[in-house]
Amino acid sequence: MIDVKNLVKSFGDLVVLDGITETIEKGEKVVIIGPSGSGKSTFLRCLNLLETPTGGEIWFEGEQINAPKVNVDRLRQKMGMVFQHFNLFPHLTILQNITLAPVTLKLQSKEEAEKNARRLLERIGLSDKADAYPAMLSGGQKQRVAIVRALAMNPDVMLFDEPTSALDPEMVGEVLQLMRDLAEDGMTMVVVTHEMGFAREVATRVLFMDGGKILEQGTPEEIFNAPRHKRTRDFLSMIL
Amino acid sequence: MNEWFQSVLQWMKDWWTDFQADFVLNFIDDNRWKYLLDGLQNTLVVTFFALIIGVFFGFLIAIVRVTCDKTGKLRFLNALCRLYLTVIRGTPVVVQLMILYFVILAPLGISKVVIACLAFGFNSAAYVAEIFRSGIMSIDGGQMEAGRSLGLSYSMTMIKIILPQAVKNVLPALGNEFIVLLKETSVAGYIALRDLTKAGDLIRSRTYSAFLPLIAVALIYLVLVIGLEKLFKAMERRLSRSDRR
């Protein structure tokens, strides 16, 4: 589904991604771990071109997306993204946050989109917040709304950029639970996270990144129980 | 004690008689109140159209500046806008007004009111542009990213997500600019346009009495500004719904 070939990203002289080649298949749940500054967020943000790659190719559903004249907006509709800081639209109600994109892009009628949004809100138990504004919600509630806002576009893949890093500890669980549910529904997911428990339980594959490269990858058992690289062992021993 | 009271009373009576005579002289005789009314009309017309010109072009300039900063496009237009801001903000509005009138437009026979609207409007545009730009820049970059990640285009994200928040943030500064603009039109007298200030001055020059005409002019400005303040307060209240926690 996503093919990355020799991806390079540098900011000035600083090389953040140093030639990454990786394939993500439909239905996979790929969790990317690694120390801060290893390039994992940049890698994720390159996948939907929030960062423009300096070199290499990214293919999505059989189309090279970092070629000139590609309609970036159309392909982003198929890639949901969840941010560390939620990025809900503070001037819109929860319901409007969810319906804005499908209605503005004329993918759904207003009624359809609202029905769909209410169904999604019911699923995460926030039906009573439909007409509230983001400022009235807790962090965990905001992040769950941000997730269903992305889901309302019916994406083929969901990208999560440290979705629980900005949350109070007691709110991490509810967000991870929703992500687990999504995984069980068969959503293709790419997750950058520090939640090793989640990675162990949900990931079909774990990538360990360091210095702009994928140093090592494998099933959660392989990475967590028998890491081959010393760098991976050091990292895991620091955070586990 | 009683004597003192009597003298105060007498003084007040005299003052009142003087005041009445002064009032009649300045406002009633020769229908001089009409000067003020006509002046007020000119001031309001000039302010209103200058405001529309200022907001429209200020908005365009801000969009060009921000789009160039964020995407690197529109470089030529951006350079033009920056030159415009430097020149307009670098010279006094009254000089701009006189240049526009005496040098450029008066020889063409264009009316003073129109010239004043243009001069104050294009002057205000420079300030409004920076107000809008600061508002757009005050919005967290994550908002643009969130909009784009949902598949909205740059302009759609701007219109639906960034601008509504930006306008709300700059409402106090915008209100301030409108108040300044209203009072700034008082230099329109330099091109002999009879605005409110000029009208007061005109009465003074006829009656040789300065106090009442100038106080009347000041009071009218004050009432107008208070009205503007109230209007903006109401708008801010309306737009603050989403701030409740």
Side-chain angles (χ1 to χ4, degrees):
Chain A
M1 174 178 260
I2 303 177
D3 262 311
V4 179
K5 295 175 187 167
N6 198 24
L7 175 65
V8 176
K9 172 71 185 176
S10 45
F11 295 101
D13 288 338
L14 181 72
V15 178
V16 183
L17 297 178
D18 192 5
I20 292 186
T21 300
E22 188 56 59
T23 300
I24 294 162
E25 302 290 350
K26 190 165 162 44
E28 272 198 296
K29 292 95 181 77
V30 176
V31 172
I32 306 172
I33 60 171
S36 65
S38 61
K40 51 194 193 308
S41 276
T42 309
F43 174 60
L44 192 75
R45 290 162 57 83
C46 278
L47 294 182
N48 70 349
L49 299 184
L50 280 184
E51 302 289 352
T52 315
T54 318
E57 294 177 8
I58 301 171
W59 293 70
F60 176 61
E61 296 181 338
E63 186 184 0
Q64 189 186 347
I65 62 176
N66 65 328
K69 303 244 169 118
V70 168
N71 186 342
V72 187
D73 300 327
R74 189 175 43 78
L75 77 95
R76 282 193 184 126
Q77 293 173 19
K78 290 286 145 204
M79 299 175 128
M81 176 117 183
V82 176
F83 300 89
Q84 182 178 358
H85 295 289
F86 332 129
N87 296 349
L88 291 183
F89 308 132
H91 62 302
L92 300 178
T93 65
I94 299 307
L95 196 73
Q96 290 167 334
N97 261 275
I98 301 171
T99 58
L100 176 75
V103 173
T104 306
L105 294 166
K106 300 196 169 65
L107 301 174
Q108 296 165 19
S109 71
K110 192 159 178 279
E111 294 72 32
E112 241 181 305
E114 283 186 3
K115 215 177 111 202
N116 193 20
R118 287 189 196 280
R119 190 177 51 72
L120 286 164
L121 283 175
E122 200 179 311
R123 173 177 172 177
I124 58 172
L126 291 177
S127 297
D128 56 324
K129 302 288 186 191
D131 297 317
Y133 286 93
M136 307 171 196
L137 268 56
S138 73
Q141 291 172 332
K142 280 183 201 167
Q143 193 60 299
R144 286 187 289 146
V145 169
I147 292 173
V148 298
R149 177 176 70 179
L151 287 178
M153 293 292 292
N154 299 314
D156 294 338
V157 54
M158 286 281 284
L159 312 174
F160 294 85
D161 188 6
E162 304 200 23
T164 58
S165 298
L167 293 176
D168 289 339
E170 75 267 25
M171 292 171 183
V172 171
E174 60 189 78
V175 172
L176 291 182
Q177 186 54 48
L178 176 57
M179 290 167 64
R180 242 177 244 128
D181 294 347
L182 268 183
E184 274 169 27
D185 291 351
M187 176 62 76
T188 310
M189 294 163 67
V190 185
V191 185
V192 171
T193 188
H194 294 293
E195 295 292 330
M196 295 304 147
F198 176 82
R200 211 183 261 273
E201 190 186 335
V202 176
T204 53
R205 199 147 56 96
V206 177
L207 310 183
F208 175 74
M209 281 186 70
D210 189 37
K213 290 189 161 113
I214 297 176
L215 217 57
E216 167 164 15
Q217 62 166 294
T219 62
E221 291 75 33
E222 287 168 351
I223 296 289
F224 291 116
N225 299 340
R228 290 189 302 274
H229 264 271
K230 181 175 182 304
R231 194 70 195 82
T232 318
R233 279 197 294 276
D234 291 348
F235 175 72
L236 289 173
S237 71
M238 294 235 281
I239 65 168
L240 285 179
Chain B
M1 186 64 197
N2 199 22
E3 203 171 295
W4 177 82
F5 183 72
Q6 285 292 333
S7 74
V8 169
L9 204 66
Q10 187 55 47
W11 180 83
M12 281 172 77
K13 268 185 185 162
D14 291 349
W15 182 84
W16 179 239
T17 321
D18 285 355
F19 179 83
Q20 278 175 312
D22 225 22
F23 190 90
V24 169
L25 173 71
N26 280 301
F27 301 131
I28 312 293
D29 285 355
D30 290 343
N31 280 334
R32 290 197 176 110
W33 57 274
K34 275 193 176 163
Y35 288 129
L36 289 181
L37 198 65
D38 291 346
L40 175 63
Q41 190 193 329
N42 277 337
T43 290
L44 288 179
V45 165
V46 169
T47 305
F48 180 75
F49 286 103
L51 207 139
I52 288 176
I53 293 171
V55 168
F56 181 76
F57 285 96
F59 187 76
L60 285 187
I61 294 169
I63 294 287
V64 169
R65 301 267 285 119
V66 168
T67 303
C68 183
D69 281 354
K70 282 193 179 166
T71 67
K73 293 173 188 164
L74 306 177
R75 275 190 199 196
F76 177 72
L77 269 179
N78 184 45
L80 226 67
C81 288
R82 285 175 55 179
L83 179 70
Y84 181 81
L85 293 190
T86 306
V87 171
I88 294 291
R89 293 195 303 173
T91 52
V93 64
V94 61
V95 175
Q96 292 163 17
L97 177 72
M98 288 195 290
I99 290 176
L100 199 64
Y101 178 66
F102 293 112
V103 182
I104 305 175
L105 293 180
L108 301 174
I110 294 172
S111 93
K112 286 173 192 161
V113 175
V114 173
I115 289 169
C117 291
L118 292 175
F120 290 113
F122 285 109
N123 178 271
S124 184
Y127 295 91
V128 172
E130 288 297 270
I131 290 172
F132 275 134
R133 193 167 74 91
S134 72
I136 294 170
M137 290 198 311
S138 75
I139 306 302
D140 181 66
Q143 293 289 308
M144 178 55 87
E145 289 190 347
R148 299 306 305 273
S149 80
L150 287 164
L152 299 174
S153 65
Y154 174 82
S155 52
M156 265 192 238
T157 310
M158 218 36 169
I159 293 166
K160 294 271 181 178
I161 296 166
I162 309 293
L163 289 178
Q165 298 182 58
V167 169
K168 179 187 151 194
N169 284 1
V170 300
L171 223 45
L174 215 51
N176 194 42
E177 167 61 21
F178 290 173
I179 289 172
V180 170
L181 174 63
L182 168 70
K183 293 186 299 179
E184 222 170 40
T185 59
S186 61
V187 298
Y190 272 88
I191 60 167
L193 174 69
R194 284 194 194 170
D195 73 318
L196 184 56
T197 304
K198 188 75 186 169
D201 200 44
L202 213 62
I203 296 176
R204 184 189 57 77
S205 69
R206 298 276 157 84
T207 60
Y208 299 105
S209 131
F211 179 75
L212 268 185
L214 294 181
I215 289 295
V217 166
L219 276 176
I220 295 172
Y221 277 115
L222 188 63
V223 168
L224 291 178
V225 169
I226 290 172
L228 263 178
E229 274 177 355
K230 283 220 182 326
L231 186 75
F232 268 85
K233 219 172 238 164
M235 272 166 41
E236 275 176 50
R237 241 200 326 272
R238 269 199 54 171
L239 288 174
S240 69
R241 259 179 323 167
S242 61
D243 296 340
R244 280 197 318 251
R245 277 167 197 279

